[in-house]
mmCIF file of all heavy atoms in Angstrom:
data_model
loop_
_atom_site.group_PDB
_atom_site.id
_atom_site.type_symbol
_atom_site.label_atom_id
_atom_site.label_comp_id
_atom_site.label_asym_id
_atom_site.label_seq_id
_atom_site.Cartn_x
_atom_site.Cartn_y
_atom_site.Cartn_z
ATOM 1 N N VAL B 157 1.767 -42.727 36.722
ATOM 2 C CA VAL B 157 1.735 -43.492 37.983
ATOM 3 C C VAL B 157 3.119 -44.047 38.289
ATOM 4 O O VAL B 157 3.595 -43.988 39.423
ATOM 5 C CB VAL B 157 0.692 -44.627 37.876
ATOM 6 C CG1 VAL B 157 0.850 -45.596 39.044
ATOM 7 C CG2 VAL B 157 -0.710 -44.056 37.865
ATOM 8 N N ALA B 160 5.527 -41.178 39.312
ATOM 9 C CA ALA B 160 5.239 -40.406 40.521
ATOM 10 C C ALA B 160 5.994 -40.987 41.710
ATOM 11 O O ALA B 160 6.076 -42.205 41.882
ATOM 12 C CB ALA B 160 3.738 -40.435 40.795
ATOM 13 N N GLY B 161 6.547 -40.115 42.530
ATOM 14 C CA GLY B 161 7.302 -40.570 43.687
ATOM 15 C C GLY B 161 6.393 -41.109 44.781
ATOM 16 O O GLY B 161 6.784 -41.986 45.542
ATOM 17 N N ARG B 162 5.185 -40.574 44.865
ATOM 18 C CA ARG B 162 4.289 -40.978 45.954
ATOM 19 C C ARG B 162 3.268 -41.990 45.445
ATOM 20 O O ARG B 162 2.765 -41.872 44.339
ATOM 21 C CB ARG B 162 3.570 -39.749 46.498
ATOM 22 C CG ARG B 162 4.458 -38.844 47.311
ATOM 23 C CD ARG B 162 3.808 -37.496 47.490
ATOM 24 N NE ARG B 162 2.475 -37.603 48.083
ATOM 25 C CZ ARG B 162 2.251 -37.685 49.397
ATOM 26 N NH1 ARG B 162 3.253 -37.648 50.235
ATOM 27 N NH2 ARG B 162 1.019 -37.779 49.862
ATOM 28 N N THR B 163 2.971 -42.959 46.262
ATOM 29 C CA THR B 163 1.968 -43.951 45.890
ATOM 30 C C THR B 163 0.713 -43.715 46.715
ATOM 31 O O THR B 163 0.666 -42.825 47.557
ATOM 32 C CB THR B 163 2.479 -45.370 46.167
ATOM 33 O OG1 THR B 163 2.590 -45.507 47.585
ATOM 34 C CG2 THR B 163 3.825 -45.585 45.528
ATOM 35 N N ARG B 164 -0.303 -44.557 46.501
ATOM 36 C CA ARG B 164 -1.536 -44.397 47.272
ATOM 37 C C ARG B 164 -1.289 -44.705 48.748
ATOM 38 O O ARG B 164 -2.016 -44.232 49.612
ATOM 39 C CB ARG B 164 -2.626 -45.301 46.712
ATOM 40 C CG ARG B 164 -2.256 -46.761 46.696
ATOM 41 C CD ARG B 164 -3.235 -47.554 45.877
ATOM 42 N NE ARG B 164 -2.675 -48.873 45.627
ATOM 43 C CZ ARG B 164 -3.407 -49.992 45.644
ATOM 44 N NH1 ARG B 164 -4.693 -49.924 45.864
ATOM 45 N NH2 ARG B 164 -2.857 -51.146 45.403
ATOM 46 N N TYR B 165 -0.221 -45.516 49.047
ATOM 47 C CA TYR B 165 0.052 -45.802 50.456
ATOM 48 C C TYR B 165 0.600 -44.566 51.159
ATOM 49 O O TYR B 165 0.369 -44.367 52.339
ATOM 50 C CB TYR B 165 1.024 -46.981 50.578
ATOM 51 C CG TYR B 165 0.422 -48.246 50.050
ATOM 52 C CD1 TYR B 165 0.813 -48.771 48.824
ATOM 53 C CD2 TYR B 165 -0.584 -48.899 50.755
ATOM 54 C CE1 TYR B 165 0.239 -49.918 48.325
ATOM 55 C CE2 TYR B 165 -1.169 -50.050 50.266
ATOM 56 C CZ TYR B 165 -0.762 -50.554 49.052
ATOM 57 O OH TYR B 165 -1.351 -51.673 48.548
ATOM 58 N N ASP B 166 1.324 -43.731 50.416
ATOM 59 C CA ASP B 166 1.783 -42.475 51.017
ATOM 60 C C ASP B 166 0.605 -41.553 51.276
ATOM 61 O O ASP B 166 0.593 -40.807 52.241
ATOM 62 C CB ASP B 166 2.782 -41.776 50.078
ATOM 63 C CG ASP B 166 4.040 -42.599 49.903
ATOM 64 O OD1 ASP B 166 4.611 -42.996 50.931
ATOM 65 O OD2 ASP B 166 4.427 -42.846 48.753
ATOM 66 N N ARG B 167 -0.376 -41.593 50.379
ATOM 67 C CA ARG B 167 -1.523 -40.696 50.532
ATOM 68 C C ARG B 167 -2.484 -41.179 51.607
ATOM 69 O O ARG B 167 -2.962 -40.404 52.425
ATOM 70 C CB ARG B 167 -2.307 -40.593 49.208
ATOM 71 C CG ARG B 167 -1.550 -39.971 48.058
ATOM 72 C CD ARG B 167 -2.476 -39.760 46.879
ATOM 73 N NE ARG B 167 -3.454 -38.726 47.170
ATOM 74 C CZ ARG B 167 -4.750 -38.861 46.950
ATOM 75 N NH1 ARG B 167 -5.237 -39.982 46.472
ATOM 76 N NH2 ARG B 167 -5.571 -37.871 47.239
ATOM 77 N N LEU B 168 -2.803 -42.467 51.584
ATOM 78 C CA LEU B 168 -3.925 -42.965 52.394
ATOM 79 C C LEU B 168 -3.485 -43.845 53.551
ATOM 80 O O LEU B 168 -4.339 -44.420 54.240
ATOM 81 C CB LEU B 168 -4.883 -43.752 51.487
ATOM 82 C CG LEU B 168 -5.415 -42.974 50.280
ATOM 83 C CD1 LEU B 168 -6.205 -43.879 49.357
ATOM 84 C CD2 LEU B 168 -6.288 -41.818 50.712
ATOM 85 N N GLY B 169 -2.168 -43.980 53.776
ATOM 86 C CA GLY B 169 -1.715 -44.802 54.888
ATOM 87 C C GLY B 169 -1.611 -46.269 54.490
ATOM 88 O O GLY B 169 -2.095 -46.669 53.433
ATOM 89 N N ASP B 170 -0.973 -47.094 55.368
ATOM 90 C CA ASP B 170 -0.698 -48.488 55.028
ATOM 91 C C ASP B 170 -1.980 -49.294 54.823
ATOM 92 O O ASP B 170 -2.015 -50.211 54.012
ATOM 93 C CB ASP B 170 0.143 -49.137 56.136
ATOM 94 C CG ASP B 170 1.561 -48.586 56.105
ATOM 95 O OD1 ASP B 170 1.919 -47.999 55.056
ATOM 96 O OD2 ASP B 170 2.275 -48.708 57.100
ATOM 97 N N ASP B 171 -3.051 -48.933 55.548
ATOM 98 C CA ASP B 171 -4.292 -49.672 55.367
ATOM 99 C C ASP B 171 -5.256 -48.957 54.418
ATOM 100 O O ASP B 171 -6.417 -49.352 54.307
ATOM 101 C CB ASP B 171 -4.963 -49.898 56.729
ATOM 102 C CG ASP B 171 -5.121 -48.589 57.491
ATOM 103 O OD1 ASP B 171 -4.723 -47.546 56.928
ATOM 104 O OD2 ASP B 171 -5.628 -48.591 58.620
ATOM 105 N N LEU B 172 -4.753 -47.916 53.760
ATOM 106 C CA LEU B 172 -5.541 -47.152 52.770
ATOM 107 C C LEU B 172 -6.807 -46.557 53.392
ATOM 108 O O LEU B 172 -7.812 -46.380 52.724
ATOM 109 C CB LEU B 172 -5.923 -48.031 51.569
ATOM 110 C CG LEU B 172 -4.765 -48.577 50.747
ATOM 111 C CD1 LEU B 172 -5.300 -49.457 49.626
ATOM 112 C CD2 LEU B 172 -3.947 -47.443 50.170
ATOM 113 N N ARG B 173 -6.761 -46.265 54.703
ATOM 114 C CA ARG B 173 -7.990 -45.790 55.345
ATOM 115 C C ARG B 173 -7.897 -44.347 55.788
ATOM 116 O O ARG B 173 -8.855 -43.820 56.342
ATOM 117 C CB ARG B 173 -8.294 -46.661 56.567
ATOM 118 C CG ARG B 173 -8.760 -48.038 56.157
ATOM 119 C CD ARG B 173 -9.740 -48.607 57.159
ATOM 120 N NE ARG B 173 -10.121 -49.956 56.747
ATOM 121 C CZ ARG B 173 -9.945 -51.032 57.506
ATOM 122 N NH1 ARG B 173 -9.459 -50.917 58.722
ATOM 123 N NH2 ARG B 173 -10.303 -52.211 57.060
ATOM 124 N N ARG B 174 -6.736 -43.719 55.590
ATOM 125 C CA ARG B 174 -6.596 -42.360 56.105
ATOM 126 C C ARG B 174 -7.480 -41.394 55.312
ATOM 127 O O ARG B 174 -7.420 -41.348 54.082
ATOM 128 C CB ARG B 174 -5.127 -41.921 55.995
ATOM 129 C CG ARG B 174 -4.866 -40.568 56.645
ATOM 130 C CD ARG B 174 -3.494 -40.042 56.285
ATOM 131 N NE ARG B 174 -2.432 -40.892 56.797
ATOM 132 C CZ ARG B 174 -1.255 -41.055 56.165
ATOM 133 N NH1 ARG B 174 -1.034 -40.444 55.030
ATOM 134 N NH2 ARG B 174 -0.338 -41.839 56.664
ATOM 135 N N PRO B 176 -8.877 -37.177 55.602
ATOM 136 C CA PRO B 176 -8.545 -36.985 54.190
ATOM 137 C C PRO B 176 -7.126 -37.440 53.885
ATOM 138 O O PRO B 176 -6.312 -37.587 54.792
ATOM 139 C CB PRO B 176 -8.677 -35.472 54.026
ATOM 140 C CG PRO B 176 -8.406 -34.918 55.373
ATOM 141 C CD PRO B 176 -8.922 -35.916 56.356
ATOM 142 N N ALA B 177 -6.848 -37.635 52.611
ATOM 143 C CA ALA B 177 -5.530 -38.117 52.208
ATOM 144 C C ALA B 177 -4.459 -37.092 52.558
ATOM 145 O O ALA B 177 -4.730 -35.894 52.629
ATOM 146 C CB ALA B 177 -5.541 -38.380 50.703
ATOM 147 N N ASP B 178 -3.257 -37.596 52.782
ATOM 148 C CA ASP B 178 -2.133 -36.725 53.116
ATOM 149 C C ASP B 178 -1.453 -36.293 51.825
ATOM 150 O O ASP B 178 -0.645 -37.027 51.258
ATOM 151 C CB ASP B 178 -1.163 -37.496 54.018
ATOM 152 C CG ASP B 178 0.084 -36.677 54.307
ATOM 153 O OD1 ASP B 178 0.003 -35.439 54.211
ATOM 154 O OD2 ASP B 178 1.126 -37.277 54.620
ATOM 155 N N ASP B 179 -1.806 -35.109 51.336
ATOM 156 C CA ASP B 179 -1.247 -34.627 50.073
ATOM 157 C C ASP B 179 -0.367 -33.424 50.327
ATOM 158 O O ASP B 179 -0.727 -32.562 51.141
ATOM 159 C CB ASP B 179 -2.365 -34.225 49.107
ATOM 160 C CG ASP B 179 -3.073 -35.423 48.530
ATOM 161 O OD1 ASP B 179 -2.416 -36.467 48.377
ATOM 162 O OD2 ASP B 179 -4.278 -35.315 48.240
ATOM 163 N N PRO B 180 0.767 -33.325 49.633
ATOM 164 C CA PRO B 180 1.591 -32.124 49.788
ATOM 165 C C PRO B 180 0.899 -30.890 49.214
ATOM 166 O O PRO B 180 1.155 -29.770 49.621
ATOM 167 C CB PRO B 180 2.861 -32.462 49.005
ATOM 168 C CG PRO B 180 2.440 -33.502 48.043
ATOM 169 C CD PRO B 180 1.352 -34.274 48.697
#
Side-chain angles (χ1 to χ4, degrees):
Chain B
V157 168
R162 287 164 55 84
T163 67
R164 58 192 167 141
Y165 296 105
D166 296 309
R167 296 187 69 228
L168 304 173
D170 289 343
D171 53 1
L172 298 178
R173 288 212 182 122
R174 186 191 296 148
D178 175 24
D179 286 329

